[in-house]
Structure formats: C-alpha cells, structure tokens
Amino acid sequence: MPTTAIETAVLRVIDEMHANLGQELTIDDMARTAMFSKFHFTRVFRDVTGTSPGRFLSALRLQEAKRLLLETDFSVADISSQVGYSSVGTFSSRFKACVGVSPSMFRELDGFTPEIGPGTLADAPAENSHGVLRGRVHLPEDREPGHCFVGLFPTPVPQGQPARCAVLDGPGPFELADVPPGTWYVLVHSVPYGYEHLPSGTGTDDVVSVGSYGPVTAHEDTLLMPAEIPLRPLDDLDPPILLALLDLRTDVLDLIAG
C-alpha cells in the first residue's frame, strides 16, 4: 500500500498504464496524471519503481501478452496488436529477449522455459572474474516458504537471461559463481510449495514473494560482500516479472545450464 504522496501519484500512473496498454502513452501524458513536471516525474518514478516509466510500461505490456497467451486463443498477431505493437515481428523479438522464449513457445510450454542458462553479455570481457557472490534469502514469518529463483541481472527488472542464476529448495544460503565484472542486481522470486504450477509473474501478492539486492559492482580480484535478501509480497510498484522460469514440478536443478 502507498505510504507517501509520491507513491500514490506513481500508482495513479501505473493504473493509467494498465488501462491503456494498447494505446500510445507518452511521458507528458504520465506526468500530467501524476501532476508533476515531466522531468520531476521521470526521476521520482525511477526512485519508486527502480526503472523508467517507459521500461515499466513496456514490461506491463509484455506481462499482459503473457496472460493473453496462456488464457486466450488469440493469435500472436492479435495479441501483439492488443498490447500496443504495430509489428508482430518487433513484438516477438522483444518478447523473446525479455521472457526468454518466443510467444508461441511460451504458450506451448504453459508459461515455462525448458532451460535457463548463465547468460552471455555482449559487452562482458571474454575472461570472467571468477568472483563468487554468496548470500542468504530470508523469509518473514508471515510468508509461506517455497522454492526460490535467484538471478543476477543488469537492471532491477527481472527480464532477459540472467548472467548467473540458482534455484534454491527454499529460503536460505545461495552462491552465484563466476560473476562477470560489472554492476548487477540480485533478484529473487518465490512461490509457496504447491504453487509450482504458476508461471512467473502470475499469482496475487498473497502468493508471490520477491526480494532484491544491489546494485553491486564486481571487479576482478575483488571479494564481494555477502548479500542478505529479505523476501516480501509482490507490490503494484514492483516491475513485472517477465522472465519465464523453469517448471519446478520437474527436476529443475538438472536443467540449469552452467
């Protein structure tokens, strides 16, 4: 729930985004809804959500596309139009880059992916630093435990292939090995045991728990401090979880590459 006037204004804009996923929505439109100047609005939106208004809106559109792929029989072309894309090719490319699989594969696999690799970044050095990021995921007493996906991402939005990742049997210690040099965010997604059938980004805040740590900068020959990551309910101010995850009803640990 919002605790400040700024969060209330940002939530008002996010509501407008939801109502206009298939329409053009400019920064000027959003700033008017928030009742801020354009430049002030962009800054406070990033402060509250961790990402820009444009990236948040794009993520909402792809999240709605995920829902339509799973819950309707609309064609990929129809869905791309409904979420604001004039080109189905652009939509499909963007969807695969952010979700990890193509729209048709996402539908075929019921919202999951057959594999999550460690990721390869075009601007990363050929030699990894061999740095190790260790930490612990903490679950509040009022949250139900479950498997935890831990991913290393270049932005606070859980989209695209993670640079490194791990799946935990439950909250507790984790280790991400061979962390490449760069600035990263550790993002965690968890659902209670028995909810493994839910694709990522679905379910209510009573079900989905999230956590984050960062930014953390990794250099060669630098020891990274341990990451303590408390989980909390997914909130309307959180960017959507776009990355398709492994089906935890299978032997997930054997499916993670590297």
Side-chain angles (χ1 to χ4, degrees), residues 3-4 9 24 36 43 50 77 94 116 136 169 190 194 207 212 219 232 236 249 252:
T3 58
T4 69
E24 182 180 3
F36 292 140
R43 179 168 57 83
R94 180 67 176 162
I116 298 178
R136 180 176 292 272
D169 288 338
S190 179
V207 173
S212 63
H219 301 283
R232 57 175 177 77
D236 288 338
R249 294 167 294 184
V252 296

Side-chain angles (χ1 to χ4, degrees), residues 186-199:
V186 185
L187 306 178
V188 184
H189 171 272
S190 179
V191 294
Y193 301 120
Y195 286 83
E196 291 87 356
H197 62 285
L198 290 177

